[in-house]
Amino acid sequence: MSEQPVISLLGSTALLFEAPGALALAPQQHLWSLALQAAQWPEIDEAVPGMNNLMLTFRTPPRDLAGLRERLLQAWQQSTPLALEGRIIELPVVYGGEHGPHMQDVVEHTGLDIDTIAHLHSEPLYPVYALGSHPGYCYLGGMDGRLATPRRQVPVLNIGAGAVSIGGVQTGVSASAGPSGWNTIGRTEMAFFDPTQNPPAILRPGDQLRFRIERIIR
């Protein structure tokens, strides 16, 4: 971990700790470990791991910000990866057709056909790195690099819950209807957020997702 993290203030109530390096499981496991440590510090109200970052909210604005920064850097250097033992959850996906309105864009960008895209996408076991964006949404790692497709220049105003999409080098599943700049290639019926349950988010960091091809619409 020779590269240095980036630490920036979020107003007077929080800071953002951004891990160095590429998006990968090992740095994310270090962030999980750092979150557990920082959550015990008296000035920290909440430690929220994100994708390649950690947000710390303050009980009160710290008087010694430089000291907190040094403590964070030291804890990061000394942290060991925390391998969370999560569940493996299988999601049946219908790829293409009306459920994958941007499949053709991925085909044109990658040069792969629909069948190859569906099989490459459903092959890995995807670790859940973090939850965010909207309630129940999970950030996943592990997508095959051959599927990487830039985010859309003009976001879609509304995609349905369960939309399986690709954005850059990542893939994800929308937990609720809403706007998105990702390329939707399929759909699953699983509900990712239920406010009547505790916790309401079905997934948590350390879980793993496997997409299963239910059908391919060419």
Side-chain angles (χ1 to χ4, degrees), residues 119-141:
H119 283 90
L120 286 176
H121 187 265
S122 61
E123 191 172 277
L125 194 58
Y126 293 94
V128 177
Y129 281 6
L131 301 181
S133 179
H134 58 271
Y137 182 83
C138 57
Y139 289 97
L140 305 174

Side-chain angles (χ1 to χ4, degrees), residues 12-68:
S12 62
T13 60
L15 64 74
L16 186 68
F17 179 98
E18 297 178 80
L23 299 176
L25 182 57
Q28 196 69 27
Q29 290 176 331
H30 276 278
L31 285 169
W32 295 341
S33 177
L34 181 61
L36 285 181
Q37 294 180 62
Q40 305 303 314
W41 297 348
E43 65 268 63
I44 301 303
D45 184 49
E46 190 176 15
V48 183
M51 189 70 180
N52 219 41
N53 60 55
L54 174 66
M55 183 182 73
L56 301 179
T57 61
F58 308 136
R59 297 185 187 278
T60 58
R63 295 184 177 182
D64 183 12
L65 189 60
L68 176 60

Side-chain angles (χ1 to χ4, degrees), residues 76-200:
W76 170 254
Q77 293 294 335
Q78 296 176 351
S79 67
T80 56
L82 175 62
L84 297 175
E85 294 289 336
R87 303 157 296 166
I88 297 177
I89 298 171
E90 186 176 274
L91 297 180
V93 177
V94 177
Y95 288 94
E98 63 178 331
H99 302 299
H102 308 133
M103 176 66 85
Q104 190 57 39
D105 294 327
V106 178
V107 167
E108 292 176 2
H109 180 79
T110 63
L112 304 170
D113 59 42
I114 292 177
D115 285 58
T116 301
I117 290 170
H119 283 90
L120 286 176
H121 187 265
S122 61
E123 191 172 277
L125 194 58
Y126 293 94
V128 177
Y129 281 6
L131 301 181
S133 179
H134 58 271
Y137 182 83
C138 57
Y139 289 97
L140 305 174
M143 188 181 74
D144 192 304
R146 288 172 287 181
L147 297 176
T149 303
R151 299 188 186 193
R152 307 187 65 76
Q153 292 186 352
V154 179
V156 177
L157 293 180
N158 189 30
I159 60 169
V164 178
S165 305
I166 291 173
V169 298
Q170 293 179 255
T171 187
V173 187
S174 178
S176 60
S180 174
W182 291 31
N183 302 282
T184 299
I185 61 170
R187 188 174 186 276
T188 181
E189 293 292 336
M190 180 175 172
F192 291 87
F193 186 79
D194 183 351
T196 67
Q197 299 296 315
N198 186 22

